[in-house]
Amino acid sequence: MSDRTPALDAVHGMLTLLFAVVALHVLWLGVRSAGAGRRDRVDLVLHCAMAAAMAAMPWSYGPPLSGRAATVFFTAAALWFLLTAHTAAVFAGRLTPAVGMAAMAWMSRTPPGAAASETVAAAGVPAAHHTAAHGHAAGASTTATLVTVVLTVSLLGCALRSLTRPMPALRTATDPAHRAAAADPYGYVRDGAMSLGTAVMLLPPH
């Protein structure tokens, strides 16, 4: 029996709209910034991929948006944002998308408890072994809850930081970080909205 309710569907609808708008904005930014450097182009592709995946995730009943491939992809994306920062100021600015990609990788993983139950059921393992598998899954769920809490709090912190930052000055930007912000004046709002929406998606029920 499905656990979906009208209220949950309404929340999922709002999240889908949010992520779809973000994906479209990133696409528009990519078209407008045809002369951007390699790092900026990769950033835009990863932002768009995450927003599109998050828009579809609330309505996904199967494995297309989960599994090892998605986990590896978004883990690599998180590392990309961290490892391509050359200064402390740039690192701080890229921390928000890195945390979002890490959360996406976490959500797309196969939960250990589900994997253990499926393996036991498929193999026809005796009841005693089945109980041991569930005990292991219970221990893993404690760690999973802790990781989820840490990611959620981090995302909320990133959202608060992004959404409360002033709009960048479009005419007085001199250093590279401020010039990049001026080229994407809505970037803080987009990043904050993405962080907030991702934090909501981390909370059960998905």
Side-chain angles (χ1 to χ4, degrees):
M1 180 180 294
S2 173
D3 58 355
R4 304 190 76 93
T5 64
L8 186 59
D9 283 343
V11 172
H12 285 171
M14 289 186 288
L15 289 171
T16 296
L17 179 61
L18 167 66
F19 294 127
V21 169
V22 169
L24 290 173
H25 177 259
V26 173
L27 280 175
W28 173 79
L29 190 62
V31 171
R32 198 182 62 133
S33 309
R38 180 178 64 89
R39 190 185 72 173
D40 292 335
R41 290 197 301 271
V42 173
D43 288 354
L44 290 174
V45 169
L46 293 177
H47 277 301
C48 189
M50 178 179 173
M54 292 294 285
M57 183 178 282
W59 315 102
S60 176
Y61 294 95
L65 297 178
S66 62
R68 183 170 298 177
T71 302
V72 170
F73 175 82
F74 287 108
T75 299
L79 292 174
W80 163 265
F81 280 102
L82 295 178
L83 298 179
T84 53
H86 305 303
T87 66
V90 175
F91 182 88
R94 295 173 73 77
L95 191 58
T96 295
V99 173
M101 295 293 173
M104 190 67 186
W106 180 249
M107 285 188 286
S108 64
R109 84 198 192 287
T110 302
S117 298
E118 290 172 4
T119 302
V120 167
V125 176
H129 290 208
H130 197 176
T131 302
H134 276 290
H136 175 74
S141 68
T142 302
T143 303
T145 299
L146 179 60
V147 172
T148 300
V149 169
V150 170
L151 284 172
T152 302
V153 172
S154 299
L155 285 166
L156 291 175
C158 289
L160 182 63
R161 175 177 178 270
S162 294
L163 294 174
T164 56
R165 293 181 73 172
M167 290 287 286
L170 301 181
R171 296 182 181 275
T172 60
T174 54
D175 61 276
H178 284 84
R179 283 200 301 269
D184 183 17
Y186 303 105
Y188 295 153
V189 176
R190 182 191 64 236
D191 290 345
M194 277 290 292
S195 296
L196 188 58
T198 306
V200 172
M201 286 293 294
L202 274 169
L203 301 176
H206 292 296

